[in-house]
Amino acid sequence: MKIIECSDWKDKRILEIIIAAVINLIIFSANNKLMMYTKHLSLLVIILCLGMFILNRNYILKINKYKLMYSLFVIMIMVSCFWVSNINVIWDYSLYLISGVCVIFSDFSKTFYYYFMKNFKTLFWVFIFSMFLEALLPNVFFLIFGFASFGDAEMRALTSGGAIAGLAFEKAYAAFICNLGLGVIFAEFVAQRSYKYVIQSILVMIALMMTGKRTLFIIPIVALLIYVMLFSKNNKFIKLAGVGLGISAFIIIAYTIIPEASLIIDRIINSGGDVLSGRENFWNYAMDMFHQNPFFGRGFMSFNDFVFNQGFRYYGERWNYQAHNVYIQLLGETGIIGCGVIITLIVILIIKAISLAKTTSNFWDVLLVYWIMLFGIYSLTGNTLYYPCQLIILVVSILLISNVKKIREVSYQIGKTIKWKSLA
């Protein structure tokens, strides 16, 4: 095993290591008890980033179009406080948005990116282990991981519909995390061409199938086919056909021999013609909001209040789960202007990421393509922008693309470790 020496240790590196760990905790604060502390973690990120900024003694902020557009969106959100129906909701969520601003404007060294990925991989494989443990030995799963659950095993069985979510304790969150890990594994395979990553991806795809989330199951398949189409130099269509056959064989085998993995196919086959699962009703509410104020909307995070005031109830209770389409909800909440900013940001991020990956196929470039495509596509049926654990992926993507030259030389490389020279 090769050792990479790194002698650029300074006091601020300790802050970077802590920030890397905290961001990962936010990513994995799905529907477990970590969710109760996401505000505290986000506040800690703000404080640490400001502390690092002061330690740098270099008070120049580097601005690019990605940082500018995200910051513009945050400013628009804060301005919408003047006409939103419930200002407290915006103030509560603004902490996550502002922490994102602090992250993307921070001048992290290579240390941050190394520890960010190292921490992510460790937590991710613990998460995958928890999913298989829940599927095979549910009682043992709750014995080991029950401390992180909001409810007991019986309640979880009643509400999950047979889905397996592991430490995420909710199937959509679990499927999103599976996709994040698939992006890392896929980028590792491209960087090293080792088939051990194929085995890892099969394990994660099986875990993903156990969540029963259709869109999040389709995304990695689409991403893989797109990569073959865009980056293959020879025999493009033959490779595409081979990958397609391989995916089909995997799905058939998994459906046949793994009962928990068959959930995703059963949901696709037995959708009863309702592919959208009733989401179109929420989209209609969002469009009603848009028609009332097409340019600026009714205010960020006002959707739940709007549907409540329109008389919608979920089993007699208030609806608190957003519109399940970020773009349509933003159209209603922030109008053409706010929605346009986010769509433009995601599109230019995807275009730039693909351009970078086609040039180098570096680990970080390929990962960036997958993560931003995941965020952009899942926003069509999910609530990515409205959950801190998913919003942070957009922030990280902006950070990566803003520092692409630096992270291409980062000490994190597959199968290698880092060693620090003593400066004493």
Side-chain angles (χ1 to χ4, degrees), residues 12 16 19 23 45-53 56 60-62 67 98-109 112-113 395 398-400 402-403 406:
K12 74 164 191 171
E16 291 183 341
I19 294 171
I23 289 177
V45 167
I46 294 173
I47 294 170
L48 292 174
C49 286
L50 291 176
M52 196 181 72
F53 180 70
N56 275 343
I60 299 175
L61 293 177
K62 296 179 181 178
K67 296 178 182 180
I98 294 170
S99 67
V101 173
C102 292
V103 169
I104 64 176
F105 278 101
S106 293
D107 183 22
F108 295 116
S109 70
F112 168 83
Y113 301 99
V395 171
I398 295 172
L399 179 68
L400 294 180
S402 300
N403 297 276
K406 178 185 294 184

mmCIF file of all heavy atoms in Angstrom, residues 12 16 19 23 45-53 56 60-62 67 98-109 112-113 395 398-400 402-403 406:
data_model
loop_
_atom_site.group_PDB
_atom_site.id
_atom_site.type_symbol
_atom_site.label_atom_id
_atom_site.label_comp_id
_atom_site.label_asym_id
_atom_site.label_seq_id
_atom_site.Cartn_x
_atom_site.Cartn_y
_atom_site.Cartn_z
ATOM 1 N N LYS A 12 -6.253 25.136 10.929
ATOM 2 C CA LYS A 12 -7.578 25.085 10.328
ATOM 3 C C LYS A 12 -7.925 23.695 9.806
ATOM 4 O O LYS A 12 -9.090 23.392 9.566
ATOM 5 C CB LYS A 12 -7.706 26.107 9.206
ATOM 6 C CG LYS A 12 -6.972 25.755 7.924
ATOM 7 C CD LYS A 12 -7.476 26.624 6.775
ATOM 8 C CE LYS A 12 -6.941 26.097 5.447
ATOM 9 N NZ LYS A 12 -7.560 26.774 4.316
ATOM 10 N N GLU A 16 -11.506 21.616 9.367
ATOM 11 C CA GLU A 16 -11.946 20.985 8.130
ATOM 12 C C GLU A 16 -12.369 19.538 8.360
ATOM 13 O O GLU A 16 -13.369 19.075 7.800
ATOM 14 C CB GLU A 16 -10.828 21.038 7.084
ATOM 15 C CG GLU A 16 -10.530 22.430 6.579
ATOM 16 C CD GLU A 16 -9.472 22.449 5.502
ATOM 17 O OE1 GLU A 16 -8.719 21.464 5.378
ATOM 18 O OE2 GLU A 16 -9.397 23.457 4.788
ATOM 19 N N ILE A 19 -15.741 19.627 10.049
ATOM 20 C CA ILE A 19 -16.788 20.013 9.094
ATOM 21 C C ILE A 19 -17.127 18.844 8.177
ATOM 22 O O ILE A 19 -18.297 18.573 7.887
ATOM 23 C CB ILE A 19 -16.348 21.241 8.269
ATOM 24 C CG1 ILE A 19 -16.208 22.470 9.167
ATOM 25 C CG2 ILE A 19 -17.351 21.529 7.148
ATOM 26 C CD1 ILE A 19 -15.573 23.667 8.482
ATOM 27 N N ILE A 23 -20.919 17.324 7.987
ATOM 28 C CA ILE A 23 -21.681 17.258 6.734
ATOM 29 C C ILE A 23 -22.164 15.837 6.480
ATOM 30 O O ILE A 23 -23.304 15.615 6.048
ATOM 31 C CB ILE A 23 -20.828 17.778 5.555
ATOM 32 C CG1 ILE A 23 -20.652 19.300 5.668
ATOM 33 C CG2 ILE A 23 -21.486 17.433 4.216
ATOM 34 C CD1 ILE A 23 -19.765 19.900 4.607
ATOM 35 N N VAL A 45 -21.819 23.935 11.490
ATOM 36 C CA VAL A 45 -21.128 24.136 10.212
ATOM 37 C C VAL A 45 -20.884 25.624 9.968
ATOM 38 O O VAL A 45 -19.783 26.031 9.554
ATOM 39 C CB VAL A 45 -21.952 23.530 9.048
ATOM 40 C CG1 VAL A 45 -21.411 24.006 7.702
ATOM 41 C CG2 VAL A 45 -21.919 22.016 9.106
ATOM 42 N N ILE A 46 -21.883 26.448 10.223
ATOM 43 C CA ILE A 46 -21.737 27.898 10.032
ATOM 44 C C ILE A 46 -20.629 28.449 10.912
ATOM 45 O O ILE A 46 -19.755 29.209 10.461
ATOM 46 C CB ILE A 46 -23.074 28.616 10.335
ATOM 47 C CG1 ILE A 46 -24.139 28.217 9.305
ATOM 48 C CG2 ILE A 46 -22.886 30.139 10.335
ATOM 49 C CD1 ILE A 46 -25.524 28.739 9.630
ATOM 50 N N ILE A 47 -20.641 28.060 12.186
ATOM 51 C CA ILE A 47 -19.640 28.561 13.142
ATOM 52 C C ILE A 47 -18.237 28.114 12.743
ATOM 53 O O ILE A 47 -17.285 28.909 12.743
ATOM 54 C CB ILE A 47 -19.976 28.082 14.570
ATOM 55 C CG1 ILE A 47 -21.291 28.711 15.044
ATOM 56 C CG2 ILE A 47 -18.842 28.416 15.536
ATOM 57 C CD1 ILE A 47 -21.819 28.120 16.337
ATOM 58 N N LEU A 48 -18.105 26.832 12.368
ATOM 59 C CA LEU A 48 -16.787 26.309 11.999
ATOM 60 C C LEU A 48 -16.268 26.944 10.709
ATOM 61 O O LEU A 48 -15.077 27.248 10.603
ATOM 62 C CB LEU A 48 -16.860 24.795 11.834
ATOM 63 C CG LEU A 48 -17.112 23.982 13.125
ATOM 64 C CD1 LEU A 48 -17.311 22.516 12.794
ATOM 65 C CD2 LEU A 48 -15.959 24.159 14.109
ATOM 66 N N CYS A 49 -17.156 27.145 9.741
ATOM 67 C CA CYS A 49 -16.741 27.778 8.481
ATOM 68 C C CYS A 49 -16.291 29.221 8.722
ATOM 69 O O CYS A 49 -15.296 29.684 8.142
ATOM 70 C CB CYS A 49 -17.881 27.742 7.464
ATOM 71 S SG CYS A 49 -18.178 26.115 6.739
ATOM 72 N N LEU A 50 -17.012 29.929 9.569
ATOM 73 C CA LEU A 50 -16.612 31.307 9.901
ATOM 74 C C LEU A 50 -15.281 31.307 10.646
ATOM 75 O O LEU A 50 -14.426 32.171 10.412
ATOM 76 C CB LEU A 50 -17.706 31.977 10.741
ATOM 77 C CG LEU A 50 -19.016 32.287 10.013
ATOM 78 C CD1 LEU A 50 -20.042 32.861 10.984
ATOM 79 C CD2 LEU A 50 -18.777 33.265 8.866
ATOM 80 N N GLY A 51 -15.113 30.329 11.545
ATOM 81 C CA GLY A 51 -13.848 30.237 12.268
ATOM 82 C C GLY A 51 -12.690 29.954 11.338
ATOM 83 O O GLY A 51 -11.605 30.537 11.474
ATOM 84 N N MET A 52 -12.904 29.077 10.369
ATOM 85 C CA MET A 52 -11.863 28.768 9.400
ATOM 86 C C MET A 52 -11.553 29.976 8.527
ATOM 87 O O MET A 52 -10.395 30.230 8.170
ATOM 88 C CB MET A 52 -12.306 27.592 8.523
ATOM 89 C CG MET A 52 -11.173 26.941 7.758
ATOM 90 S SD MET A 52 -11.767 25.595 6.744
ATOM 91 C CE MET A 52 -12.611 26.532 5.479
ATOM 92 N N PHE A 53 -12.582 30.733 8.179
ATOM 93 C CA PHE A 53 -12.410 31.945 7.368
ATOM 94 C C PHE A 53 -11.520 32.955 8.093
ATOM 95 O O PHE A 53 -10.642 33.581 7.494
ATOM 96 C CB PHE A 53 -13.783 32.551 7.076
ATOM 97 C CG PHE A 53 -13.740 33.799 6.251
ATOM 98 C CD1 PHE A 53 -13.386 33.745 4.906
ATOM 99 C CD2 PHE A 53 -14.062 35.026 6.808
ATOM 100 C CE1 PHE A 53 -13.349 34.895 4.137
ATOM 101 C CE2 PHE A 53 -14.038 36.184 6.051
ATOM 102 C CZ PHE A 53 -13.679 36.125 4.702
ATOM 103 N N ASN A 56 -7.864 31.767 8.150
ATOM 104 C CA ASN A 56 -7.186 31.892 6.865
ATOM 105 C C ASN A 56 -6.418 33.201 6.727
ATOM 106 O O ASN A 56 -5.408 33.271 6.023
ATOM 107 C CB ASN A 56 -8.198 31.791 5.715
ATOM 108 C CG ASN A 56 -8.483 30.365 5.340
ATOM 109 O OD1 ASN A 56 -7.732 29.461 5.682
ATOM 110 N ND2 ASN A 56 -9.568 30.148 4.632
ATOM 111 N N ILE A 60 -10.624 37.164 1.018
ATOM 112 C CA ILE A 60 -11.109 37.284 -0.355
ATOM 113 C C ILE A 60 -12.009 36.091 -0.654
ATOM 114 O O ILE A 60 -11.602 34.942 -0.497
ATOM 115 C CB ILE A 60 -9.933 37.323 -1.353
ATOM 116 C CG1 ILE A 60 -9.047 38.534 -1.073
ATOM 117 C CG2 ILE A 60 -10.457 37.363 -2.782
ATOM 118 C CD1 ILE A 60 -7.798 38.579 -1.938
ATOM 119 N N LEU A 61 -13.228 36.375 -1.078
ATOM 120 C CA LEU A 61 -14.168 35.323 -1.417
ATOM 121 C C LEU A 61 -14.140 35.088 -2.925
ATOM 122 O O LEU A 61 -14.301 36.027 -3.704
ATOM 123 C CB LEU A 61 -15.594 35.703 -0.980
ATOM 124 C CG LEU A 61 -15.839 35.807 0.524
ATOM 125 C CD1 LEU A 61 -17.263 36.259 0.792
ATOM 126 C CD2 LEU A 61 -15.576 34.479 1.219
ATOM 127 N N LYS A 62 -13.934 33.840 -3.318
ATOM 128 C CA LYS A 62 -13.930 33.498 -4.731
ATOM 129 C C LYS A 62 -15.364 33.214 -5.173
ATOM 130 O O LYS A 62 -16.038 32.353 -4.609
ATOM 131 C CB LYS A 62 -13.042 32.279 -4.971
ATOM 132 C CG LYS A 62 -11.579 32.530 -4.637
ATOM 133 C CD LYS A 62 -10.734 31.274 -4.870
ATOM 134 C CE LYS A 62 -9.277 31.532 -4.502
ATOM 135 N NZ LYS A 62 -8.443 30.310 -4.681
ATOM 136 N N LYS A 67 -21.896 29.497 -7.364
ATOM 137 C CA LYS A 67 -22.043 30.084 -6.028
ATOM 138 C C LYS A 67 -22.994 31.265 -6.058
ATOM 139 O O LYS A 67 -23.813 31.457 -5.149
ATOM 140 C CB LYS A 67 -20.679 30.537 -5.505
ATOM 141 C CG LYS A 67 -19.670 29.430 -5.292
ATOM 142 C CD LYS A 67 -18.349 30.010 -4.812
ATOM 143 C CE LYS A 67 -17.278 28.950 -4.624
ATOM 144 N NZ LYS A 67 -15.999 29.530 -4.165
ATOM 145 N N ILE A 98 -28.342 28.829 4.700
ATOM 146 C CA ILE A 98 -27.191 29.694 5.017
ATOM 147 C C ILE A 98 -25.940 28.856 5.276
ATOM 148 O O ILE A 98 -24.833 29.241 4.887
ATOM 149 C CB ILE A 98 -27.518 30.595 6.220
ATOM 150 C CG1 ILE A 98 -28.626 31.592 5.836
ATOM 151 C CG2 ILE A 98 -26.279 31.349 6.699
ATOM 152 C CD1 ILE A 98 -29.188 32.368 6.999
ATOM 153 N N SER A 99 -26.113 27.710 5.918
ATOM 154 C CA SER A 99 -24.946 26.835 6.133
ATOM 155 C C SER A 99 -24.383 26.384 4.794
ATOM 156 O O SER A 99 -23.170 26.224 4.642
ATOM 157 C CB SER A 99 -25.329 25.618 6.981
ATOM 158 O OG SER A 99 -26.217 24.761 6.287
ATOM 159 N N GLY A 100 -25.254 26.211 3.800
ATOM 160 C CA GLY A 100 -24.800 25.880 2.457
ATOM 161 C C GLY A 100 -23.963 26.991 1.847
ATOM 162 O O GLY A 100 -22.938 26.728 1.196
ATOM 163 N N VAL A 101 -24.371 28.219 2.061
ATOM 164 C CA VAL A 101 -23.596 29.370 1.576
ATOM 165 C C VAL A 101 -22.206 29.365 2.202
ATOM 166 O O VAL A 101 -21.194 29.582 1.521
ATOM 167 C CB VAL A 101 -24.325 30.696 1.882
ATOM 168 C CG1 VAL A 101 -23.441 31.892 1.537
ATOM 169 C CG2 VAL A 101 -25.632 30.780 1.115
ATOM 170 N N CYS A 102 -22.157 29.108 3.503
ATOM 171 C CA CYS A 102 -20.867 29.079 4.205
ATOM 172 C C CYS A 102 -19.954 27.979 3.650
ATOM 173 O O CYS A 102 -18.751 28.191 3.510
ATOM 174 C CB CYS A 102 -21.085 28.864 5.704
ATOM 175 S SG CYS A 102 -21.881 30.251 6.537
ATOM 176 N N VAL A 103 -20.530 26.830 3.328
ATOM 177 C CA VAL A 103 -19.732 25.707 2.813
ATOM 178 C C VAL A 103 -19.165 26.034 1.438
ATOM 179 O O VAL A 103 -17.969 25.854 1.188
ATOM 180 C CB VAL A 103 -20.574 24.411 2.759
ATOM 181 C CG1 VAL A 103 -19.845 23.319 1.975
ATOM 182 C CG2 VAL A 103 -20.879 23.919 4.162
ATOM 183 N N ILE A 104 -19.998 26.522 0.526
ATOM 184 C CA ILE A 104 -19.525 26.718 -0.853
ATOM 185 C C ILE A 104 -18.519 27.855 -0.966
ATOM 186 O O ILE A 104 -17.707 27.877 -1.895
ATOM 187 C CB ILE A 104 -20.700 26.953 -1.831
ATOM 188 C CG1 ILE A 104 -21.451 28.244 -1.502
ATOM 189 C CG2 ILE A 104 -21.630 25.760 -1.855
ATOM 190 C CD1 ILE A 104 -22.557 28.579 -2.499
ATOM 191 N N PHE A 105 -18.524 28.782 -0.011
ATOM 192 C CA PHE A 105 -17.560 29.886 -0.052
ATOM 193 C C PHE A 105 -16.313 29.605 0.788
ATOM 194 O O PHE A 105 -15.413 30.437 0.853
ATOM 195 C CB PHE A 105 -18.216 31.189 0.411
ATOM 196 C CG PHE A 105 -19.015 31.874 -0.662
ATOM 197 C CD1 PHE A 105 -20.390 31.758 -0.697
ATOM 198 C CD2 PHE A 105 -18.380 32.612 -1.652
ATOM 199 C CE1 PHE A 105 -21.134 32.370 -1.698
ATOM 200 C CE2 PHE A 105 -19.109 33.238 -2.654
ATOM 201 C CZ PHE A 105 -20.494 33.111 -2.679
ATOM 202 N N SER A 106 -16.269 28.444 1.420
ATOM 203 C CA SER A 106 -15.103 28.098 2.245
ATOM 204 C C SER A 106 -13.959 27.606 1.359
ATOM 205 O O SER A 106 -14.174 26.868 0.393
ATOM 206 C CB SER A 106 -15.463 27.018 3.264
ATOM 207 O OG SER A 106 -16.377 27.510 4.220
ATOM 208 N N ASP A 107 -12.762 28.009 1.714
ATOM 209 C CA ASP A 107 -11.561 27.615 0.963
ATOM 210 C C ASP A 107 -10.940 26.394 1.640
ATOM 211 O O ASP A 107 -9.954 26.493 2.363
ATOM 212 C CB ASP A 107 -10.571 28.776 0.903
ATOM 213 C CG ASP A 107 -9.345 28.449 0.070
ATOM 214 O OD1 ASP A 107 -9.446 27.536 -0.785
ATOM 215 O OD2 ASP A 107 -8.293 29.088 0.274
ATOM 216 N N PHE A 108 -11.540 25.230 1.393
ATOM 217 C CA PHE A 108 -11.058 24.000 2.013
ATOM 218 C C PHE A 108 -9.778 23.521 1.329
ATOM 219 O O PHE A 108 -9.599 23.681 0.122
ATOM 220 C CB PHE A 108 -12.110 22.892 1.916
ATOM 221 C CG PHE A 108 -13.364 23.162 2.690
ATOM 222 C CD1 PHE A 108 -14.571 23.302 2.041
ATOM 223 C CD2 PHE A 108 -13.331 23.277 4.068
ATOM 224 C CE1 PHE A 108 -15.735 23.547 2.744
ATOM 225 C CE2 PHE A 108 -14.493 23.526 4.796
ATOM 226 C CZ PHE A 108 -15.703 23.660 4.128
ATOM 227 N N SER A 109 -8.916 22.906 2.118
ATOM 228 C CA SER A 109 -7.718 22.287 1.558
ATOM 229 C C SER A 109 -8.062 20.865 1.109
ATOM 230 O O SER A 109 -9.198 20.401 1.252
ATOM 231 C CB SER A 109 -6.608 22.236 2.611
ATOM 232 O OG SER A 109 -6.937 21.295 3.617
ATOM 233 N N PHE A 112 -9.903 18.322 3.620
ATOM 234 C CA PHE A 112 -11.360 18.249 3.770
ATOM 235 C C PHE A 112 -11.948 17.191 2.857
ATOM 236 O O PHE A 112 -12.758 16.356 3.288
ATOM 237 C CB PHE A 112 -11.986 19.611 3.456
ATOM 238 C CG PHE A 112 -13.481 19.565 3.313
ATOM 239 C CD1 PHE A 112 -14.299 19.623 4.432
ATOM 240 C CD2 PHE A 112 -14.074 19.433 2.053
ATOM 241 C CE1 PHE A 112 -15.683 19.552 4.291
ATOM 242 C CE2 PHE A 112 -15.447 19.371 1.913
ATOM 243 C CZ PHE A 112 -16.248 19.437 3.032
ATOM 244 N N TYR A 113 -11.563 17.205 1.588
ATOM 245 C CA TYR A 113 -12.153 16.293 0.611
ATOM 246 C C TYR A 113 -11.774 14.844 0.912
ATOM 247 O O TYR A 113 -12.577 13.930 0.719
ATOM 248 C CB TYR A 113 -11.724 16.690 -0.797
ATOM 249 C CG TYR A 113 -12.153 18.098 -1.139
ATOM 250 C CD1 TYR A 113 -11.261 19.166 -1.048
ATOM 251 C CD2 TYR A 113 -13.468 18.373 -1.511
ATOM 252 C CE1 TYR A 113 -11.659 20.466 -1.327
ATOM 253 C CE2 TYR A 113 -13.871 19.666 -1.787
ATOM 254 C CZ TYR A 113 -12.964 20.708 -1.694
ATOM 255 O OH TYR A 113 -13.365 21.987 -1.957
ATOM 256 N N VAL A 395 -25.361 21.405 -2.357
ATOM 257 C CA VAL A 395 -24.284 22.251 -1.824
ATOM 258 C C VAL A 395 -22.919 21.614 -2.088
ATOM 259 O O VAL A 395 -21.987 22.287 -2.562
ATOM 260 C CB VAL A 395 -24.491 22.481 -0.308
ATOM 261 C CG1 VAL A 395 -23.275 23.176 0.304
ATOM 262 C CG2 VAL A 395 -25.752 23.292 -0.058
ATOM 263 N N ILE A 398 -21.918 21.891 -5.743
ATOM 264 C CA ILE A 398 -21.410 23.228 -6.072
ATOM 265 C C ILE A 398 -19.983 23.389 -5.557
ATOM 266 O O ILE A 398 -19.111 23.947 -6.243
ATOM 267 C CB ILE A 398 -22.322 24.318 -5.473
ATOM 268 C CG1 ILE A 398 -23.711 24.259 -6.114
ATOM 269 C CG2 ILE A 398 -21.719 25.714 -5.673
ATOM 270 C CD1 ILE A 398 -24.738 25.159 -5.452
ATOM 271 N N LEU A 399 -19.726 22.875 -4.359
ATOM 272 C CA LEU A 399 -18.385 22.950 -3.786
ATOM 273 C C LEU A 399 -17.383 22.178 -4.643
ATOM 274 O O LEU A 399 -16.279 22.678 -4.931
ATOM 275 C CB LEU A 399 -18.396 22.391 -2.360
ATOM 276 C CG LEU A 399 -17.060 22.378 -1.621
ATOM 277 C CD1 LEU A 399 -16.603 23.804 -1.320
ATOM 278 C CD2 LEU A 399 -17.164 21.568 -0.332
ATOM 279 N N LEU A 400 -17.750 20.984 -5.075
ATOM 280 C CA LEU A 400 -16.845 20.157 -5.881
ATOM 281 C C LEU A 400 -16.545 20.800 -7.227
ATOM 282 O O LEU A 400 -15.395 20.854 -7.661
ATOM 283 C CB LEU A 400 -17.449 18.763 -6.091
ATOM 284 C CG LEU A 400 -17.614 17.873 -4.859
ATOM 285 C CD1 LEU A 400 -18.227 16.535 -5.255
ATOM 286 C CD2 LEU A 400 -16.300 17.661 -4.139
ATOM 287 N N SER A 402 -16.677 23.846 -8.009
ATOM 288 C CA SER A 402 -15.954 25.108 -7.834
ATOM 289 C C SER A 402 -14.480 24.884 -7.517
ATOM 290 O O SER A 402 -13.678 25.812 -7.610
ATOM 291 C CB SER A 402 -16.595 25.939 -6.703
ATOM 292 O OG SER A 402 -17.943 26.238 -7.002
ATOM 293 N N ASN A 403 -14.133 23.662 -7.124
ATOM 294 C CA ASN A 403 -12.752 23.349 -6.732
ATOM 295 C C ASN A 403 -12.218 22.139 -7.488
ATOM 296 O O ASN A 403 -11.406 21.379 -6.964
ATOM 297 C CB ASN A 403 -12.690 23.094 -5.217
ATOM 298 C CG ASN A 403 -13.064 24.311 -4.409
ATOM 299 O OD1 ASN A 403 -12.248 25.182 -4.152
ATOM 300 N ND2 ASN A 403 -14.325 24.380 -4.002
ATOM 301 N N LYS A 406 -8.420 21.538 -7.720
ATOM 302 C CA LYS A 406 -7.808 21.163 -6.449
ATOM 303 C C LYS A 406 -8.087 19.702 -6.110
ATOM 304 O O LYS A 406 -7.188 18.973 -5.709
ATOM 305 C CB LYS A 406 -8.330 22.066 -5.327
ATOM 306 C CG LYS A 406 -7.776 21.726 -3.951
ATOM 307 C CD LYS A 406 -8.424 22.575 -2.868
ATOM 308 C CE LYS A 406 -8.068 24.037 -2.997
ATOM 309 N NZ LYS A 406 -8.604 24.846 -1.897
#
